Amino acid sequence: MTGRALELSYNWRTPVTIASIGLVLCVLLLFRTRAAGWLGVAAALIVLWAVFLGVVWARTRARIEVDGARLTVRKIRRTYVLDGRQVVAVKEYLTNSGPSYKVRLSGDDRTYYVPTALLRQGHSTFFDWLLSYAPAAELDKRSRRTIDQLRTRGLIQ
């Protein structure tokens, strides 16, 4: 298993560039026409653009890194290091980008989110780590189905 972080599964630069160019063109057009209420419309466009950038930034913060039994995970702000030998349960949840996973550790009431859908090879890396260091972990139905699909495709053993 690798000690380097996985790459993002999507290109965030293109949508940010297109949205930024679109914003500049729209604001320039509004400025040139100076129709009634143009300043409010321009402000609303800037707010929407900022929200879009916030969402893109949050998605780019996703991280998974495997180092032996340790899985380093980051989803937006917090970074956690999970020990595979303490994993007791895994549950799949759906996101707009695809399935990701909630992990429970023994003796810990918190749920740790593993954003596999946002990272290239996220699913295969996560389940390869899980099967190596937590083979007895309780898996929900969808997680077991994902493992079967990854095995069928030859992505995990």
Side-chain angles (χ1 to χ4, degrees):
M1 299 217 190
T2 180
R4 63 174 223 268
L6 299 178
E7 295 178 34
L8 292 172
S9 64
Y10 61 96
N11 174 8
W12 61 269
R13 289 173 184 89
T14 302
V16 166
T17 301
I18 292 171
S20 299
I21 291 170
L23 173 72
V24 169
L25 292 175
C26 287
V27 170
L28 285 175
L29 181 64
L30 288 167
F31 178 74
R32 276 186 56 77
T33 60
R34 293 198 179 139
W38 75 271
L39 200 54
V41 173
L45 287 174
I46 291 170
V47 167
L48 289 173
W49 173 77
V51 168
F52 173 72
L53 289 184
V55 170
V56 170
W57 175 83
R59 290 182 58 164
T60 62
R61 302 287 297 157
R63 178 177 182 223
I64 295 176
E65 182 179 344
V66 176
D67 186 15
R70 296 169 32 138
L71 181 73
T72 303
V73 177
R74 179 177 62 210
K75 183 182 178 195
I76 302 177
R77 290 183 318 140
R78 296 192 147 197
T79 300
Y80 303 102
V81 178
L82 308 178
D83 186 344
R85 298 166 292 215
Q86 294 180 347
V87 174
V88 293
V90 174
K91 183 177 181 182
E92 184 176 298
Y93 70 99
L94 293 178
T95 68
N96 290 338
S97 305
S100 287
Y101 298 90
K102 297 176 183 178
V103 176
R104 301 288 310 244
L105 303 178
S106 62
D108 194 346
D109 291 337
R110 292 183 289 180
T111 299
Y112 298 93
Y113 296 92
V114 182
T116 57
L118 296 175
L119 300 162
R120 207 168 268 161
Q121 299 174 338
H123 295 91
S124 57
T125 300
F126 173 67
F127 281 113
D128 192 28
W129 171 80
L130 185 70
L131 294 173
S132 296
Y133 297 102
E138 178 186 331
L139 305 173
D140 70 331
K141 183 179 178 181
R142 290 195 279 190
S143 296
R144 288 191 303 270
R145 185 174 58 227
T146 301
I147 288 175
D148 291 341
Q149 290 173 348
L150 291 170
R151 282 184 174 141
T152 301
R153 295 177 187 158
L155 298 174
I156 62 173
Q157 296 290 334

